[in-house]
Amino acid sequence: MELLLKDCTQVLTQDNKRNILKDIDILIKDGIITVIGKNLSTTGKMIDCKDKLAMPGLINTHNHLAMSLFKGYGDDMPLDRWLQEKIWPAEAKLDNDSVKYGALFAIIEMIKTGTTCFNDMYLSSEAVLKATKSTGIRGFIAYGMIDLDNPEKTESELKAANSFLKNFTPEENGLILPILGPHSPYTCSRDLLEKTKLLAKEKNLPIHIHVSETKKEIEDSIKDKGMRPIEYLNSIGFLDKNIILAHACHLSEDEIALIKHAGARISHNPTSNMKLATGGAMPLQKLLNAKIPTGLGTDGSASNNSLDLFGEMKVCALLHKFANNDPETASAQTVLDIATIGGAKVLGLEDKIGSIEVGKRADIILLDLNDTTMVPNHNPVSNIIYSATGACVDTTIVNGKILMENRTLKTIDEKKVIENVNEFASKI
Ligand SMILES: [Zn+2]
């Protein structure tokens, strides 16, 4: 099956040289970018891309999709109280159906704002998987494990994670992949972390975990375990190249060296960190200097309250400039790299996605160059980071399949999903 993106006014390739091409066609065959050139033709579908900018789809490396149900339900609280008083009691009311609609709602928001790949960790993961499969978006899905040092729970959580893994049938295009999701070093026992590690090795799976999110977490870890969270994970043999660390805001120089040595990767969630006032900005520049793969994430809608990565990119750029009192930190190009090719590296998919290059999967978004946020076009990268929002995304393509065209969703009944989300929201 072919798809031709004809006469793209600009193509932000995000290739090694960060080339920006002009007035060019992109031919996609069976989900793969096969030719980038002039005067191409097709027997398949063609999209007129005049006054459009084609760029790689954005990659959200840390999310809890169904938390879209809790957007605006509990704001302006510290993380521990927010979880205990608002989120965990509300989550007790979830069932498979509500999680399915919560996930679909999140996917609608992602497709409409140009995100083509996500990394999810949540409960009722079978429902998330089912929802995701129906939409055509790319993603990693984890069953989030929490045992709170209860040995019975350790076993039941591992059983649930194992049973979820059985739901994955190897798909030809590898669009949706499993990942393991022990919630964090403070909600998971050492036993659960060690057994998760063994399972990851046995099944050759990556692991997605929250770590070093708040200052309190660091203080508690030093008090309870005699060491900082990354030091602890390293001491139990947990840290290696298959680990994705979400947040990692508070890192000592030694911990950065440990992450670098292990080859672990980082998901940076600036809006969630700022909203929950986690106690200081992540040392982004030090991580980038150490060449530690770093991607961007929104975290769940309950702590963001948006899944629009355009907004997240702007917050990322502003946070690090402000925190470091340095306008040259987190440049527009640096932040765009984090949200595209950086995210692909974090997820181990850099050979498949993250840039527009021949041989890569066609995860491409088209931005409307006539949208006021993209005019004037002195510098498209600047406009994307500092001016645009997800509303300038006109078309979203994943694996060569059109999921949204002219802002109309092709694979999801938006009205039905919104009705179901509102119905659940009225019950909590
Ligand atoms: Zn999270």
Side-chain angles (χ1 to χ4, degrees), residues 12-20 333 337 341 345:
L12 210 65
T13 62
Q14 287 296 95
D15 64 8
N16 280 340
K17 291 184 178 162
R18 304 296 185 262
N19 280 313
I20 299 177
Q333 184 63 55
D337 291 353
I341 194 70
K345 283 179 185 160

Side-chain angles (χ1 to χ4, degrees), residues 117-121 125 128-129 132-133 137-143 164-165 167-180 203-206 208 344 347-349 352-353:
C117 180
F118 65 78
N119 185 23
D120 183 61
M121 178 201 296
S125 313
V128 179
L129 176 61
T132 305
K133 272 186 180 167
I137 198 168
R138 189 184 298 281
F140 280 84
I141 303 174
Y143 170 70
F164 173 56
L165 294 180
N167 288 294
F168 280 85
T169 42
E171 287 178 85
E172 231 171 86
N173 51 23
L175 208 56
I176 309 169
L177 295 164
I179 184 166
L180 295 172
K203 307 264 186 197
N204 193 24
L205 293 175
H208 176 197
L347 298 176
L349 295 178
K352 284 188 174 173
I353 59 172

Side-chain angles (χ1 to χ4, degrees), residues 110-126:
M110 288 192 280
I111 292 172
K112 289 180 95 170
T113 54
T115 291
T116 52
C117 180
F118 65 78
N119 185 23
D120 183 61
M121 178 201 296
Y122 210 53
L123 36 87
S124 296
S125 313
E126 279 86 357

